[in-house]
């Protein structure tokens, strides 16, 4: 009987692996990286795996410069100045708050401190101590606490609850100096998910976000997590939330791509049906995201997030040319879903990139035929 189960497992595994192998004229071939016919992403000008930036989904040179200066000097003032000059209601401020908080959390993880060692992220503590009424510092501190809870504990644990309660208080403090700033309320959406707010309480918080930034993509993504089946909602509630947001989104808004994120959050653990990614639900969500990408401003700070997720789905659906179109816009940065869910985001991205290039070339594509 054990042999029978082993044979069945091997057959099922083949259904998972076969679509990942290179196709040529309808025949699936195994092509090793050193084979003369192996697709080479470098021929398209794509950067090497070791050069992929895992910190952000796309470039933000001002943020990178400020981060480098803060971490090199342990002086928070470059971060404070950058956030002070960043529009409060926009997506960029939220992304920069996340980045500074993440940098401080990572520093603390790497250098927890001791008798003769200063803990990492000390610049954030100094920032809060010297400028307690600075809205940027308060928001970064609140997000830092949220990230610490998720990094160091698990929902339901006592230490997780304690840190999240502290983060909730920090969100309230961050909202005081900047009443119109949606960021403290967006941070609190993660607190609400972690502390399992009742739905009426969560909806009240969500209205506070909408009052300040009704079309904020980052806020909608944070709220979507709450409504997902694995947290405090259901597949139907998550889909309804995403589709309602997409329906009321103004032209050019990336909210039209929100249903694709809802689909991603509810992907089956194991999918043995290749046609799943050609199903009506997935296809409709992909088309909505593609429309959003084509109509969005080229400088929309959330555009890279959507392109990265589209790349994942387009490769799974074997829509190689469209996948390559996303690649040429996002290659170089991999700090976005779905890659950040992997222990090695660069490796995960590089695998899908190689599959896209291989599929594109197997169907007659080449660097010369790729749109500029």
């Amino acid at each position: 009987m054990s042999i029978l189960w082993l044979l069945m497992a091997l057959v099922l595994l083949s259904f998972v692996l076969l679509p990942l192998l290179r196709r040529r004229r309808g025949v699936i071939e195994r092509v090793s990286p050193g084979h003369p016919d192996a697709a080479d992403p470098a021929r398209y000008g794509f950067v090497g795996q070791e050069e992929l930036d895992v910190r952000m989904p796309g470039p933000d040179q001002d943020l990178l410069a400020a981060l480098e200066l803060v971490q090199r000097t342990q002086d928070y003032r470059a971060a404070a100045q950058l956030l002070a000059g960043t529009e409060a209601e926009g997506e960029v401020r939220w992304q920069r708050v996340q980045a500074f908080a993440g940098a401080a959390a990572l520093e603390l993880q790497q250098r927890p401190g001791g008798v003769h060692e200063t803990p990492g992220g000390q610049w954030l503590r100094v920032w809060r101590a010297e400028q307690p009424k600075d809205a940027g510092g308060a928001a970064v501190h609140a997000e830092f606490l949220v990230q610490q809870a998720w990094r160091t504990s698990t929902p339901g644990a006592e230490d997780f609850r304690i840190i999240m309660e502290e983060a909730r208080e920090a969100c309230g403090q961050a909202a005081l100096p900047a009443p119109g700033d949606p960021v403290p309320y967006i941070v609190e959406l993660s607190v609400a998910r972690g502390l399992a707010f009742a739905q009426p309480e969560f909806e009240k918080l969500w209205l506070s976000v909408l009052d300040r930034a009704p079309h904020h993509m980052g806020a909608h993504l944070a709220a979507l997590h709450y409504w997902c089946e694995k947290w405090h909602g259901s597949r139907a509630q998550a889909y309804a939330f995403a589709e309602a947001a997409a329906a009321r989104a103004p032209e050019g808004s990336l909210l039209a791509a929100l249903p694709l994120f809802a689909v991603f959050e509810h992907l089956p653990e194991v999918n043995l049906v290749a046609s799943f990614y050609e199903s009506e639900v997935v296809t409709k969500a992909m088309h909505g995201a593609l429309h959003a990408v084509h109509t969005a401003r080229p400088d929309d700070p959330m555009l890279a997030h959507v392109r990265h997720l589209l790349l994942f789905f387009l490769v799974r659906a074997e829509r190689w040319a469209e996948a390559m179109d996303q690649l040429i816009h996002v290659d170089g940065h991999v700090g976005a879903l779905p890659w950040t869910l992997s222990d090695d985001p660069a490796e995960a991205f590089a695998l899908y990139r190689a599959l896209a290039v291989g599929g594109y070339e197997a169907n007659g594509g080449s660097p010369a035929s790729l749109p500029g």
Side-chain angles (χ1 to χ4, degrees):
M1 180 63 72
S2 60
I3 295 177
L4 177 60
W5 280 111
L6 177 60
L7 291 173
M8 290 176 65
L10 289 173
V11 171
L12 291 174
L13 185 60
S14 70
F15 281 105
V16 177
L17 294 178
L18 284 178
L20 301 183
L21 303 177
R22 191 166 182 248
R23 298 176 183 269
R24 181 187 292 247
R25 295 179 183 174
V27 178
I28 298 174
E29 301 177 350
R30 294 177 185 270
V31 182
S32 63
H35 192 281
D37 291 334
D40 181 8
R43 294 176 58 213
Y44 294 82
F46 297 146
V47 304
Q49 181 178 327
E50 67 283 354
E51 300 175 74
L52 293 169
D53 191 328
V54 301
R55 295 170 296 181
M56 298 182 297
D60 184 342
Q61 294 306 319
D62 290 338
L63 173 60
L64 287 178
L67 264 176
E68 190 277 330
L69 184 58
V70 167
Q71 294 186 307
R72 177 167 50 84
T73 65
Q74 290 296 295
D75 187 332
Y76 68 86
R77 283 177 291 184
Q81 290 171 1
L82 182 64
L83 287 181
T86 305
E87 180 191 8
E89 296 79 13
E91 306 279 356
V92 174
R93 182 178 176 81
W94 168 231
Q95 292 189 20
R96 288 174 172 175
V97 165
Q98 286 183 299
F100 286 126
L106 183 58
E107 282 185 35
L108 182 59
Q109 180 181 337
Q110 294 172 340
R111 300 193 312 277
V115 178
H116 303 294
E117 182 186 34
T118 302
Q122 184 67 18
W123 52 269
L124 178 55
R125 298 179 185 85
V126 174
W127 188 356
R128 293 296 294 131
E130 292 187 354
Q131 296 194 31
K133 295 183 179 181
D134 180 65
V140 172
H141 179 240
E143 174 64 16
F144 166 80
L145 290 170
V146 169
Q147 293 195 27
Q148 276 295 95
W150 291 111
R151 283 170 182 262
T152 62
S153 187
T154 55
E158 181 63 14
D159 57 340
F160 180 89
R161 185 192 63 78
I162 291 172
I163 299 173
M164 278 297 190
E165 289 289 1
E166 186 180 354
R168 187 179 188 180
E169 182 179 348
C171 289
Q173 294 174 352
L176 291 176
D181 186 353
V183 170
Y185 299 91
I186 299 174
V187 176
E188 194 173 352
L189 293 174
S190 293
V191 175
R193 177 163 56 98
L195 293 179
F197 279 22
Q199 290 187 4
E201 187 178 8
F202 182 85
E203 288 171 343
K204 181 179 179 181
L205 171 61
W206 179 236
L207 287 176
S208 297
V209 176
L210 291 181
D211 285 345
R212 292 162 176 80
H215 306 302
H216 198 290
M217 181 70 171
H220 280 79
L221 289 174
L224 176 64
H225 288 147
Y226 175 92
W227 293 114
C228 286
E229 189 174 62
K230 60 188 174 185
W231 288 106
H232 310 297
S234 65
R235 180 191 300 263
Q237 286 177 303
Y239 280 18
F241 174 81
E243 289 165 3
R248 66 172 181 267
E251 184 68 15
S253 169
L254 287 169
L255 285 175
L258 199 63
L260 189 64
F261 287 85
V263 170
F264 177 77
E265 292 294 335
H266 294 88
L267 288 178
E269 290 283 340
V270 178
N271 174 47
L272 302 179
V273 182
S275 61
F276 172 80
Y277 291 92
E278 300 170 6
S279 65
E280 182 180 354
V281 171
V282 177
T283 300
K284 181 181 177 183
M286 279 198 291
H287 286 170
L290 285 166
H291 173 76
V293 163
H294 292 150
T295 58
R297 300 189 332 266
D299 62 345
D300 191 310
M302 292 301 292
L303 187 54
H305 286 273
V306 179
R307 288 192 184 279
H308 279 289
L309 195 64
L310 264 173
L311 171 62
F312 170 86
F313 277 96
L314 291 168
V315 167
R316 289 292 187 96
E318 301 185 5
R319 294 167 62 166
W320 311 117
E322 291 167 294
M324 292 295 287
D325 183 47
Q326 305 311 314
L327 265 176
I328 62 177
H329 288 94
V330 300
D331 187 72
H333 297 82
V334 296
L337 286 175
W339 328 121
T340 49
L341 297 179
S342 169
D343 291 336
D344 189 339
E347 181 181 57
F349 174 85
L351 170 62
Y352 273 76
R353 183 176 65 183
L355 291 170
V357 171
Y360 182 66
E361 293 190 352
N363 287 273
S366 70
S369 63
L370 193 66

